[in-house]
Amino acid sequence: YSAFMRLTSLRAVTALAVSLGASLLAAQSQKPSITLDEFLSTTDITNARLSPDGSSAVIATEAPDWKNNVFRDDLWLWTPAAGLRPLTHSGSEENPKWSPDGKWIAFVSDRDLASDSVDSDNPNADKPDRLWIIPVTGGEALPLYAQKLDVHAFAWSADSKAIYFSTTSPLSQAQKEQQKAEWKDVVRWREQNRGDLLLRIEIAPALAHAIEIPHASKVAMAGESENIMPPLPVYSSTLTTSDLAMEDIVPSPDGKTLSFVTGPVHHRTEDPANFEIFLVSTSGGKATQITHNQALETQVHWGVDNNTLYFLVQAAGGSLEGPYQDVQGRLYRMDTASGKITRLGSAFAGSWDRFTLLPDGREIALGLKGTQTQVYLVDGDKATELLGLAGTYAGIESSAGSNAILVRYSTFNKATQLYLAADPLHPGQIKQLTDFNPVFAQRAQPEYEPYAWKSDDGRTIEGMLIFPPGKKDAKHLRMLTLIHGGPADADGNRFGADWYDWAAYAADNGWLVFRPNYRGSSGYGDDFMLEIAPHLVSKPGHDLLTLERSLHLHRV
């Protein structure tokens, strides 16, 4: 969703939530009930990266800006000495990444440049998402180029001297005019019809150019012929091209090879063959496709030997074992020399979500099982659960120079915060780095518990029962059943507060809320997910109907 669409949807849910709350008495509690404005003004942690030495973290957040009808995307820096402080201020920064030497942070932003001109034919056109860079020690951020090129993915070179990034192949002025004519009176459904370039841009000269000649791009394009291709960024070179989009770029530890994952140019998931892993030399040349399967590969990591790739296929993203299936998230390891692929952690009965590699090569992953996501040590087929806190871990990150890991952690009543674990094998011993959304701890909180029942075919189904504050043992409460989307998803013991996830607000206003993980949900095994095929509606429907009877007999 775009920010506008999300805010529009949020307001629609707001109207519904207000009508629900008005029809019931406020929950009795020593703490006041949270207001609708407070509930929907939540700051989300969208990304976090650990510094190369493991001592600091850069954090990306998103929060609604009601006055300007947008969502703000900001960056923050946490250091042991200064704690948490703002790093950027424009409200449009995303996807921060540390340079390997720890001196710089690169990010993507649609900030305006003085050289930008408004498209008279399309004044509401999206602004380009360019690459920017800021010194960790402080100072102003600078753009690495001025051309109107959107960054699809980027990564630092191993020596911190350059950044690799992908962008759509640019059009000449004549090609732009032709495209406008072709799409003049039709719905723009597939106008993105060309692939990507993979570029390398040198940091030092690009920054010097940005400081000395801030409007160079405007000068360079002044005499451009309509049939001449527009210039690429100054101090950049093209490494390779693709007919597809490049959505993830990862350099090998020795800096000699780049891996990237492709995706459809129209950014709509329709054909698994569009999602494959490629390799290319950092000196440039033709890219080599190394996977050919019916799966959607993501989160590629290089092993310390420079010859092994680790990656994830998310839940309902297919599998490498045969035809496309909506099974649980799976972990894989690939030997790039032989092409051999090994499935990892297959003994785990739940769904793998994210993972990271420690400096010594050990794999730490997040696994969803039932209503909780915990941290696991993955070794071959085995997966050992590490002693953590009850609830949900998310967004795990590590660094090449430290055993420390970053994790996000939450429970249903505990807002998501970022934590640092000095020992990755003890995720229960964590240091809190952020304190966003403190208002939730100051307000009356619903109570909750997992609840399991038998469906009409004997299958055990589980979900989360959420009670109004202080009414866990009350009877005859009005009930809302809120089902998750997907269906390859699951509701559990984790925090959520937005236009889509408003169960806590409904419970705070007197409703008993049930969030069932019906057939097709992740976290309960592959068979559980696959049992909805071809019964996409009837299987979940029967699970929900038997739930109503079970609650009537046992709880309500």
Side-chain angles (χ1 to χ4, degrees):
Y1 291 97
S2 67
F4 174 77
M5 292 177 66
R6 283 179 289 169
L7 281 171
T8 302
S9 301
L10 187 150
R11 287 180 174 122
V13 173
T14 296
L16 173 60
V18 169
S19 65
L20 295 176
S23 66
L24 297 167
L25 294 175
Q28 298 300 316
S29 173
Q30 293 182 348
K31 295 181 178 179
S33 296
I34 195 164
T35 68
L36 193 60
D37 286 347
E38 292 170 336
F39 185 82
L40 295 177
S41 295
T42 303
T43 296
D44 291 324
I45 300 174
T46 57
N47 203 338
R49 300 278 184 174
L50 191 61
S51 62
D53 64 2
S55 67
S56 304
V58 59
I59 304 156
T61 62
E62 182 183 73
D65 180 346
W66 298 100
K67 182 178 179 180
N68 295 302
N69 197 35
V70 297
F71 278 86
R72 285 186 58 89
D73 294 289
D74 295 306
L75 300 184
W76 307 74
L77 184 65
W78 183 90
T79 62
L84 187 68
R85 64 176 177 84
L87 182 66
T88 61
H89 308 277
S90 79
S92 64
E93 284 79 34
E94 299 178 288
N95 195 18
K97 294 185 180 181
W98 292 85
S99 60
D101 62 11
K103 295 179 180 179
W104 301 88
I105 293 172
F107 58 91
V108 177
S109 177
D110 66 355
R111 295 186 187 194
D112 290 320
L113 297 184
S115 58
D116 287 343
S117 58
V118 177
D119 186 345
S120 58
D121 294 327
N122 188 14
N124 296 319
D126 291 337
K127 296 184 290 185
D129 290 322
R130 296 182 176 98
L131 266 177
W132 291 68
I133 189 172
I134 189 170
V136 175
T137 54
E140 289 299 318
L142 289 171
L144 289 182
Y145 61 85
Q147 285 76 7
K148 291 187 175 182
L149 299 176
D150 285 322
V151 175
H152 295 163
F154 76 93
W156 283 91
S157 64
D159 59 9
S160 301
K161 293 181 179 180
I163 289 180
Y164 306 103
F165 71 98
S166 60
T167 186
T168 303
S169 300
L171 297 174
S172 67
Q173 188 60 36
Q175 290 172 325
K176 291 179 182 179
E177 294 300 327
Q178 181 182 357
Q179 188 180 65
K180 287 179 182 179
E182 289 175 354
W183 290 100
K184 183 176 181 180
D185 297 315
V186 295
V187 175
R188 293 191 165 192
W189 179 248
R190 293 198 184 280
E191 67 175 308
Q192 190 76 306
N193 54 10
R194 59 196 189 280
D196 276 6
L197 303 175
L198 179 56
L199 304 178
R200 173 188 168 106
I201 187 165
E202 306 298 327
I203 299 299
L207 287 179
H209 184 76
I211 295 171
E212 295 172 7
I213 316 175
H215 311 310
S217 63
K218 193 171 184 180
V219 176
M221 296 180 185
E224 179 186 329
S225 169
E226 66 175 15
N227 291 314
I228 296 176
M229 296 303 294
L232 292 173
V234 181
Y235 302 110
S236 72
S237 57
T238 302
L239 298 186
T240 194
T241 63
S242 173
D243 292 333
L244 296 166
M246 301 179 191
E247 300 183 340
D248 193 12
I249 303 169
V250 186
S252 59
D254 62 8
K256 296 180 179 180
T257 309
L258 292 175
S259 67
F260 62 86
V261 180
T262 57
V265 294
H266 47 69
H267 305 294
R268 300 178 184 91
T269 303
E270 296 177 346
D271 184 355
N274 292 330
F275 299 85
E276 302 293 353
I277 302 176
F278 287 73
L279 298 181
V280 66
S281 169
T282 52
S283 61
K286 183 176 176 57
T288 302
Q289 182 177 340
I290 61 171
T291 58
H292 302 79
N293 52 59
Q294 293 288 301
L296 280 58
E297 298 92 342
T298 62
Q299 296 182 41
V300 176
H301 289 62
W302 281 92
V304 294
D305 61 359
N306 296 290
N307 191 51
T308 306
L309 288 180
Y310 295 77
F311 60 93
L312 168 77
V313 175
Q314 293 178 322
S319 72
L320 274 68
E321 288 72 34
Y324 186 95
Q325 292 188 92
D326 280 341
V327 291
Q328 308 221 79
R330 296 182 176 185
L331 297 171
Y332 296 94
R333 180 181 62 218
M334 180 179 189
D335 183 287
T336 59
S338 66
K340 180 182 179 181
I341 298 178
T342 304
R343 184 180 170 191
L344 303 174
S346 58
F348 178 57
S351 182
W352 295 114
D353 180 23
R354 289 188 65 91
F355 74 96
T356 193
L357 299 178
L358 300 178
D360 61 8
R362 288 178 297 174
E363 184 172 12
I364 305 292
L366 302 180
L368 168 64
K369 189 174 181 182
T371 58
Q372 297 196 78
T373 299
Q374 292 292 312
V375 184
Y376 293 80
L377 175 65
V378 179
D379 183 11
D381 293 338
K382 299 179 181 178
T384 304
E385 183 177 352
L386 303 176
L387 185 60
L389 306 173
T392 294
Y393 288 83
I396 190 168
E397 294 282 349
S398 65
S399 66
S402 168
N403 269 334
I405 58 172
L406 278 180
V407 289
R408 281 167 263 172
Y409 168 75
S410 71
T411 67
F412 187 82
N413 278 336
K414 184 177 178 62
T416 304
Q417 305 294 348
L418 186 67
Y419 296 82
L420 180 67
D423 183 351
L425 301 186
H426 293 87
Q429 300 172 12
I430 49 180
K431 174 183 176 65
Q432 184 172 333
L433 306 187
T434 63
D435 189 25
F436 298 116
N437 310 305
V439 67
F440 285 91
Q442 302 162 8
R443 299 293 181 263
Q445 296 180 333
E447 300 175 78
Y448 59 91
E449 66 179 21
Y451 181 78
W453 74 99
K454 295 284 187 181
S455 191
D456 54 4
D457 61 357
R459 175 65 106 161
T460 298
I461 315 297
E462 187 180 38
M464 291 287 289
L465 266 177
I466 303 155
F467 301 86
K471 294 191 175 182
K472 192 171 182 179
D473 296 322
K475 302 290 185 179
H476 307 296
L477 297 170
R478 295 186 181 185
M479 190 177 82
L480 288 173
T481 300
L482 301 180
I483 63 173
H484 62 74
D489 195 358
D491 286 318
N493 186 11
R494 67 173 186 264
F495 180 80
D498 55 34
W499 65 270
Y500 178 79
D501 195 343
W502 47 279
Y505 184 78
D508 202 33
N509 280 272
W511 289 86
L512 171 65
V513 181
F514 194 81
R515 310 186 76 175
N517 292 330
Y518 50 83
R519 231 77 63 98
S521 300
S522 52
Y524 297 92
D526 291 341
D527 291 343
F528 191 88
M529 287 189 68
L530 292 170
E531 284 177 12
I532 64 171
H535 314 289
L536 297 178
V537 176
S538 59
K539 280 282 187 180
H542 283 285
D543 293 343
L544 295 176
L545 291 174
T546 53
L547 154 70
E548 300 288 349
R549 290 196 293 270
S550 175
L551 284 174
H552 180 74
L553 291 173
H554 298 102
R555 293 290 316 193
V556 182

